[in-house]
Amino acid sequence: MTLVVDRIGLLVTNDPGLGEGFLGLVRDASVVVADGQVVSVGPAGQVADERIDVDGACVLPGFVDSHTHLVFTGDRAEEFTSRMAGRPYDGGGIRVTTDATRAASDDDLRALTASRMAELRAAGTTTVEVKSGYGLNVDDEARTLRLATEVTDETTFLGAHLLPAEYEGRVDDYIDLVCGPMLEACAPHSRWIDAFCETGAFDVDQCRAVLDAGRAAGLGLRLHGNQLGHGPGVQLAVESGCASVDHCTYLSDSDVEALAGSDTVATFLPATDFSTRQPYPDARRVIDAGATVALATNCNPGSSYTTSMSFCIALAVRDMNMTIDEAVQAATLGGAVALRRTDVGRLSPGSAGHLVVLEAPSHHHLAYRPGVPLVRQTIT
Ligand code: NIG
């Protein structure tokens, strides 16, 4: 069965070999997909079994959202409201969501996750990473990861998200639990391991221990770092060979230099800076130094309750000194690199047939028309 997506006015391929600039832009194009894979990108008018005529619209690769915490229940709108009135974000609300998530049934969590997945898809996301981190005990971390595997292969064990209340004053014991029995229960449901390296969460030695244990268990590494202030997260991520260090809101010159000399992706989460009233990072500085950057939503009930990659693109352009082309690439190919995936985030022969059709003539409208649901169709 072949499908041709035809009469594309402007196609973003992310393959400079196929078209103009680093986005590999092709005008008046079509894409042929067979058995879920792109088989050709060519001029409009190719033939296939099924045809979708997009009538001059812009088409781009499905967004790759490389950082979410989708499996949770509970509402923290009051926390957000009080932040908007001046209260700072400190991550403490993670325990509120943990209490609610532990008490929820599998079916309730499954239904909530499915509805968030539907929201993501309608907004153009076709690949999504999902972290645990609201279970914080062996059974609930493993349970939430098992539920996450029902919706994605990109699952991340984040037992080291915050110290659960019952371990107050015993952080070393908790790290032993995370690196031992919890990892053993969660590794079968996880591709990645992550830790929250921040004052108030876990320190650099505790995070290093978690990453080392994850590596020994065969998991890929990622890290939350430099979200609430300057700190050692970026340096630890680079030293440890993490695929990505996420947040990067506060970066020193040596952090930028370390990222530029590494293959660790700097993943920015601007909707978090929006929702926590943090300053936006200067992505220009990181890009100009030569590092690879990604954009992701960080969808979670505390610091960033959005599933919209378009919103992140608009913020990155308006407030992080990224060009629109850079932001669109960071939300597609950048996310794929952050997940060490070569099959998504681009539209070229051999890649996944994940396409987003915009209700717009160009990808620039993603920033030009903020807040407008511009995704006409998501094809996978
Ligand atoms: O990425 N930084 C830590 N974790 C999430 C916040 C989770 C929460 O507040 O519930 C984040 O911002």
Side-chain angles (χ1 to χ4, degrees):
M1 174 72 175
T2 57
L3 162 73
V4 61
V5 181
D6 205 9
R7 297 218 303 140
I8 299 168
L10 183 64
L11 175 69
V12 176
T13 66
N14 277 332
D15 182 343
L18 290 177
E20 199 185 302
F22 64 83
L23 286 184
L25 297 173
V26 186
R27 287 165 215 282
D28 302 318
S30 64
V31 177
V32 180
V33 178
D35 300 323
Q37 271 199 347
V38 174
V39 290
S40 76
V41 171
Q46 298 190 78
V47 179
D49 301 334
E50 193 188 329
R51 180 169 180 268
I52 299 177
D53 178 348
V54 302
D55 194 19
C58 177
V59 169
L60 61 151
F63 296 124
V64 179
D65 190 349
S66 61
H67 186 135
T68 80
H69 305 248
L70 284 194
V71 186
F72 65 85
T73 189
D75 185 274
R76 283 164 56 195
E78 273 182 27
E79 178 190 319
F80 173 78
T81 306
S82 69
R83 268 205 309 277
M84 294 305 105
R87 187 184 140 191
Y89 175 79
D90 64 1
I94 292 168
R95 283 186 179 172
V96 174
T97 303
T98 299
D99 287 347
T101 303
R102 285 177 178 176
S105 69
D106 283 9
D107 281 347
D108 285 349
L109 290 174
R110 191 176 279 123
L112 288 163
T113 305
S115 88
R116 290 173 196 131
M117 285 296 290
E119 199 176 286
L120 276 154
R121 187 185 161 86
T125 296
T126 51
T127 304
V128 63
E129 180 264 14
V130 178
K131 298 176 198 302
S132 64
Y134 293 125
L136 306 186
N137 60 35
V138 173
D139 288 349
D140 288 302
E141 281 294 302
R143 181 167 80 101
T144 49
L145 281 161
R146 182 173 43 73
L147 292 168
T149 61
E150 295 176 8
V151 298
T152 185
D153 294 334
E154 299 294 346
T155 52
T156 301
F157 168 42
L158 180 59
H161 196 191
L162 199 75
L163 189 70
E166 64 273 21
Y167 273 83
E168 200 59 68
R170 294 187 297 134
V171 66
D172 290 341
D173 291 347
Y174 185 67
I175 291 294
D176 288 346
L177 178 75
V178 170
C179 296
M182 200 185 278
L183 174 60
E184 199 179 320
C186 291
H189 311 296
S190 309
R191 178 169 181 227
W192 303 96
I193 192 163
D194 195 345
F196 185 12
C197 188
E198 199 76 45
T199 305
F202 298 100
D203 71 21
V204 68
D205 293 329
Q206 292 155 353
C207 291
R208 186 181 291 111
V210 170
L211 295 179
D212 287 348
R215 185 192 293 108
L219 303 184
L221 313 183
R222 359 188 28 85
L223 192 69
H224 284 61
N226 303 54
Q227 173 180 4
L228 303 175
H230 287 280
V234 167
Q235 302 287 343
L236 173 63
V238 169
E239 277 163 32
S240 307
C242 287
S244 178
V245 55
D246 297 30
H247 284 285
C248 294
T249 300
Y250 293 89
L251 296 177
S252 66
D253 289 346
S254 59
D255 292 334
V256 173
E257 207 179 304
L259 287 164
S262 77
D263 60 1
T264 299
V265 173
T267 298
F268 295 114
L269 310 171
T272 312
D273 304 313
F274 174 91
S275 293
T276 57
R277 285 205 198 276
Q278 296 272 105
Y280 291 98
D282 180 8
R284 179 85 276 122
R285 189 173 158 229
V286 181
I287 294 168
D288 287 351
T292 303
V293 302
L295 289 170
T297 63
N298 187 22
C299 180
N300 77 75
S303 67
S304 183
Y305 200 2
T306 182
T307 48
S308 173
M309 291 292 278
S310 304
F311 177 55
C312 298
I313 289 169
L315 291 177
V317 171
R318 169 65 178 73
D319 289 309
M320 289 169 50
N321 296 317
M322 292 177 81
T323 67
I324 300 177
D325 287 6
E326 286 168 344
V328 168
Q329 184 157 84
T332 50
L333 189 61
V337 179
L339 293 172
R340 297 280 191 260
R341 294 276 296 268
T342 53
D343 58 328
V344 294
R346 69 182 80 223
L347 291 172
S348 55
S351 68
H354 295 174
L355 292 82
V356 170
V357 183
L358 296 184
E359 194 60 59
S362 98
H363 55 290
H364 287 209
H365 282 232
L366 291 167
Y368 170 49
R369 303 199 65 210
V372 179
L374 287 183
V375 174
R376 183 197 295 171
Q377 191 176 359
T378 304
I379 301 168
T380 51

